[in-house]
Amino acid sequence: MREFEGRVALVTGGSRGIGRAVCEELAAAGATVAVIGRNGDAAAAAAKELPGSGHAGYACDVGDYDAATATLKQAEEDLGPIYTLVNNAGITRDTLLLRMKSEDWDEVINVNLKGAFNMTRAACRGLMKRREGSIVNVSSVVGLIGNAGQANYAASKAGLHGFTKSVARELAPRGVRCNAVAPGYIRTDMTSGLDQSVVEELQAHIPMERLGEPGDVASVIRFLAGPGARYITGQVITVDGGMVM
Ligand code: NAD
């Protein structure tokens, strides 16, 4: 089914990992995709490799309000009105609280939480005016249960849950939905540095006995963003092999 045929999707952090899998999934479903990344060349290269034509890559630090606004405007001028916004860009600066520097806190909150605000703020007027479309925020199970060494990251992701539900309430009467997916441990660059012993320990807590793949998350985002989820808003859906239930 090509349920995004003729629609434009904007995916932040779309040049690799989960974001890239989301771009592939939405493009395969017919969407024209604006791939946003910190590195413009990587974003453009990722856009070029997507199925179909008309996709474009843009360099943007989502934590910068003016840059986010300008990038969204440019993408809409180039590709057409945004129908789906996926706030996926995220970073970690893991360390125990006693060692956490103020910059470690600020950087993570700025990209993971304020970045979602910046892009959503830029997109919401158009979405509300057109009375259709949806937003999907990529959070983490860590935002639900916390994690030692990730106070900044967990706070940013828990913040995204409050943001998602507030935006959902605000935009629902205007025909726009907002949901979040909370992945467990997914094989990407973000988790590639984990020791084998840590991976084995993690797997022991996953009922499905494997780490996730980017495509496991992307298929849920496609569903949540699309017409099949037309009566779902304000939800946080865990995609974690049953780790948190
Ligand atoms: P990744 O590091 O492979 O990719 C992150 C992407 O975000 C990259 O494309 C990067 O360039 C982009 N990005 C980072 N800072 C940015 C900024 N300031 N502006 C624009 N783009 C920026 O990580 P991933 O594992 O694919 O993670 C994607 C999302 O999924 C993140 O929000 C992450 O927190 C979340 N997540 C990942 C896991 C996991 O196990 N991998 C688990 C739960 C949640």
Side-chain angles (χ1 to χ4, degrees):
M1 192 169 78
R2 289 172 62 85
E3 71 274 26
F4 288 89
E5 195 72 65
R7 307 290 200 183
V8 176
L10 186 148
V11 181
T12 68
S15 50
R16 67 175 200 226
I18 293 171
R20 187 173 186 135
V22 173
C23 291
E24 283 164 6
E25 187 83 41
L26 296 179
T32 304
V33 183
V35 182
I36 310 293
R38 267 173 314 188
N39 179 322
D41 291 341
K48 223 171 174 180
E49 283 172 21
L50 293 174
S53 60
H55 315 293
Y58 300 88
C60 172
D61 173 359
V62 296
D64 178 335
Y65 181 84
D66 292 337
T69 306
T71 303
L72 193 125
K73 189 163 173 268
Q74 187 64 53
E76 289 203 315
E77 270 173 33
D78 296 345
L79 309 182
I82 305 292
Y83 173 79
T84 293
L85 168 65
V86 181
N87 288 310
N88 163 79
I91 57 167
T92 52
R93 294 286 180 271
D94 298 351
T95 188
L96 293 172
L97 189 57
L98 265 179
R99 295 197 193 121
M100 192 171 284
K101 297 195 197 84
S102 167
E103 305 89 77
D104 297 328
W105 177 270
D106 289 345
E107 274 182 53
V108 168
I109 299 293
N110 196 54
V111 175
N112 298 8
L113 185 53
K114 191 168 176 235
F117 161 73
N118 289 343
M119 297 305 301
T120 305
R121 175 70 184 77
C124 71
R125 191 185 299 276
L127 288 168
M128 286 160 81
K129 216 162 107 189
R130 295 186 293 277
R131 300 188 74 87
E132 63 169 15
S134 81
I135 301 158
V136 182
N137 297 318
V138 181
S139 67
S140 166
V141 290
V142 160
L144 295 167
I145 60 172
N147 196 21
Q150 290 198 306
N152 50 359
Y153 183 78
S156 74
K157 297 302 191 179
L160 266 184
H161 295 162
F163 179 69
T164 299
K165 293 174 192 196
S166 302
V167 171
R169 287 184 187 277
E170 225 171 287
L171 302 193
R174 312 297 289 269
V176 180
R177 299 178 299 102
C178 181
N179 292 288
V181 290
Y185 287 88
I186 311 298
R187 280 187 204 282
T188 68
D189 289 356
M190 190 175 266
T191 48
S192 62
L194 293 175
D195 286 344
Q196 188 52 31
S197 60
V198 176
V199 173
E200 281 166 19
E201 168 70 17
L202 282 171
Q203 258 170 233
H205 292 97
I206 302 172
M208 291 181 74
E209 297 181 337
R210 67 167 177 89
L211 301 198
E213 301 296 333
D216 296 330
V217 182
S219 60
V220 178
I221 292 177
R222 171 178 176 174
F223 165 69
L224 279 177
R230 62 190 168 273
Y231 199 52
I232 299 178
T233 197
Q235 302 305 305
V236 178
I237 310 291
T238 53
V239 184
D240 63 354
M243 191 168 61
V244 175
M245 58 168 101

